[in-house]
């Protein structure tokens, strides 16, 4: 297959690129700063020579958008909205104009679209969309609006010959340097991986191998369209999530943090507390109904596997000096599966 990944040089793109390339597929990455023969320049807003890669491709997986790992200022929120909507719109235009359009267009979305809640889990059938929850910061509603508009841009694209799937992804956990697992693990190893603001808020996640398997599953299933949750079936409160992560790293204690301490910490690392405090209790309703089975459904075993792979990646091979990177280490990462990517979600 030929697979085109706009914004494909961030953490999630690197995971998919690595998996599909190793399986023998032809993978092309659209990026603002191309390096190497498989990377093609685009700006994420306008049509250009990159559209030639779309025609004749089998699959497009659009990951482009500004990173959510930043302070949620008005200008940053606007950049998040514009980068997601514009890149989705222009990918849709390229597919619509293609002489041989791809069979399927997978568009990155986010589990953040669901409401902040502690009671029932959110699936695609009867989950609650967020935006009007009581007692949460007002700007959290804008994050939901970004997700709505992101998905709407794909839905509105006139691509009658291309199946469309919106990937409502939870945090993608991989052992790669700079990814969300790496960041949380660093906190745990420093003894700072305790409950935040009580730790009742739910954390949804997906193991990188299951993320790849789910994408492959969706490519093959012609009957699945629209939003699909990419999240492990076992979301758990942040207190338990971090306890299991500390256990994977053999760290017995994690200092708790109050809400104001979280605010200070988020300010220090130029991020936002929504990423820590919003309760994302998301489950994979449509994937499960379609018969998909998770290799890593439970966080304890998943965290142990990821920590083991991370240790192995950091260990230099015999006769090779360790330089802080391995073949499993992308240059950048992101949160929601995306921590950072040179100021963009998927280094467009």
């Amino acid at each position: 297959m030929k697979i085109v990944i706009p914004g494909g040089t961030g953490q999630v793109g690197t995971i998919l690129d690595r998996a599909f390339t190793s399986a023998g597929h032809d993978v092309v990455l659209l990026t603002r700063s191309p390096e190497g023969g498989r990377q093609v320049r685009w700006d994420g807003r306008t049509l250009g020579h990159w559209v030639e890669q779309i025609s004749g491709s089998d699959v497009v997986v659009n990951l482009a958008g500004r990173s959510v790992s930043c302070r949620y200022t008005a200008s940053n929120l606007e950049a998040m909205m514009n980068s997601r909507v514009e890149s989705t719109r222009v990918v849709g235009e390229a597919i619509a104009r293609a002489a041989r359009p791809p069979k399927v267009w997978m568009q990155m979305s986010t589990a953040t679209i669901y409401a902040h809640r502690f009671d029932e889990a959110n699936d695609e059938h009867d989950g609650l969309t967020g935006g009007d929850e009581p007692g949460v910061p007002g700007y959290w509603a804008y994050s939901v609006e970004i997700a709505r508009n992101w998905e709407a841009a794909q839905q509105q694209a006139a691509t009658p010959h291309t199946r469309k799937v919106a990937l409502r992804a939870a945090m993608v956990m991989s052992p790669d340097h700079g990814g969300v697992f790496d960041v949380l693990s660093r906190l745990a190893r420093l003894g700072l991986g305790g409950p935040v603001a009580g730790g009742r808020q739910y954390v949804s996640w997906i193991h990188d191998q299951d993320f790849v398997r789910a994408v492959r599953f969706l490519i093959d299933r012609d009957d699945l369209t629209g939003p699909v949750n990419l999240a492990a079936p076992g979301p758990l409160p942040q207190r338990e999530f971090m306890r299991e992560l500390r256990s994977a790293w053999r760290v017995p204690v994690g200092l708790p943090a109050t809400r104001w301490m979280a605010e200070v910490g988020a300010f220090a690392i130029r991020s936002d507390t929504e990423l820590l405090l919003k309760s994302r209790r998301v489950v994979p309703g449509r994937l499960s109904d379609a018969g998909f089975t998770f290799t890593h459904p439970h966080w304890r075993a998943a965290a142990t596997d990821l920590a083991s792979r991370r240790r192995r990646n950091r260990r230099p091979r015999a006769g090779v000096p360790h330089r802080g990177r391995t073949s499993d280490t992308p240059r950048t990462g992101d949160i929601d599966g995306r921590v950072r990517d040179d100021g963009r979600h998927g280094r467009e």
Side-chain angles (χ1 to χ4, degrees):
M1 290 190 300
K2 180 178 179 180
I3 302 170
V4 180
I5 309 180
T9 56
Q11 184 210 7
V12 173
T14 299
I15 291 167
L16 291 177
D17 179 24
R18 187 165 57 214
F20 285 127
T21 300
S22 65
H25 299 296
D26 177 16
V27 179
V28 176
L29 309 177
L30 304 185
T31 172
R32 293 179 185 271
S33 305
E35 299 175 5
R38 293 191 302 108
Q39 298 186 13
V40 175
R41 187 182 304 277
W42 84 325
D43 64 4
R45 298 188 306 274
T46 58
L47 297 172
H49 291 300
W50 61 268
V51 302
E52 299 168 3
Q53 302 295 330
I54 301 295
S55 184
S57 66
D58 298 287
V59 180
V60 172
V61 186
N62 184 22
L63 304 176
R66 193 201 193 286
S67 172
V68 299
S69 185
C70 62
R71 298 299 294 169
Y72 281 14
T73 63
S75 60
N76 284 341
L77 288 169
E78 182 180 10
M80 288 182 210
M81 175 77 82
N82 292 341
S83 63
R84 282 159 174 72
V85 172
E86 289 176 359
S87 63
T88 304
R89 174 190 53 78
V90 78
V91 167
E93 289 181 9
I95 293 174
R97 296 184 182 204
R100 292 180 295 153
K103 296 177 182 178
V104 59
W105 168 17
M106 295 192 176
Q107 174 60 51
M108 195 65 164
S109 182
T110 173
T112 297
I113 198 169
Y114 292 110
H116 168 79
R117 62 190 303 194
F118 300 91
D119 49 1
E120 299 295 328
N122 290 303
D123 65 14
E124 304 92 333
H125 304 295
D126 51 17
L128 300 179
T129 302
D132 57 359
E133 305 96 314
V136 302
Y139 71 88
W140 285 16
Y142 194 81
S143 296
V144 176
E145 191 64 19
I146 290 173
R148 288 176 183 269
N149 289 355
W150 202 4
E151 292 188 4
Q154 184 194 33
Q155 293 166 3
Q156 293 164 6
T159 58
H161 304 294
T162 299
R163 178 168 57 95
K164 296 185 282 192
V165 180
L167 307 176
R168 289 182 176 174
M171 293 189 295
V172 181
M173 298 292 178
S174 83
D176 299 314
H177 175 72
V180 62
F181 180 80
D182 185 38
V183 172
L184 295 175
S185 294
R186 194 177 309 133
L187 292 175
R189 294 197 303 271
L190 290 172
L192 302 176
V196 175
R200 292 179 55 241
Q201 65 275 25
Y202 275 79
V203 178
S204 289
W205 56 277
I206 185 169
H207 190 284
D208 63 336
Q209 294 169 354
D210 280 332
F211 179 82
V212 170
R213 291 178 60 250
V215 170
R216 286 173 170 158
F217 182 85
L218 291 169
I219 290 173
D220 293 337
R221 286 292 297 260
D222 292 339
D223 56 325
L224 292 176
T225 63
V228 177
N229 292 348
L230 269 61
L236 67 172
Q238 187 265 346
R239 175 188 292 272
E240 298 175 25
F241 179 89
M242 292 306 296
R243 182 170 64 235
E244 299 295 357
L245 180 58
R246 294 197 311 271
S247 176
W249 287 108
R250 305 185 187 99
V251 177
V253 177
L255 296 177
T258 62
R259 182 179 291 265
W260 73 264
M261 291 168 67
E263 291 281 0
V264 172
F267 181 82
I269 63 174
R270 301 179 64 80
S271 188
D272 197 272
T273 54
E274 184 194 31
L275 302 173
L276 294 172
L277 300 179
K278 181 169 181 177
S279 185
R280 294 171 173 84
R281 193 173 185 181
V282 179
V283 293
R286 296 191 69 197
L287 274 179
S288 296
D289 291 347
F292 181 81
T293 57
F294 286 80
T295 303
H296 301 279
H298 305 297
W299 177 235
R300 173 180 293 184
T304 299
D305 172 76
L306 291 164
S308 175
R309 288 166 60 198
R310 180 66 176 150
R311 291 187 189 99
R312 190 163 60 246
N313 289 350
R314 293 171 63 188
R315 193 177 302 133
R317 291 173 293 172
V320 179
H322 179 57
R323 300 184 185 277
R325 272 192 63 185
T326 74
S327 60
D328 279 348
T329 305
R331 287 182 299 261
T332 52
D334 27 21
I335 251 189
D336 252 8
R338 299 159 290 217
V339 173
R340 62 171 181 82
D341 195 358
D342 292 354
R344 299 179 291 277
H345 159 50
R347 214 168 100 183
E348 306 154 60

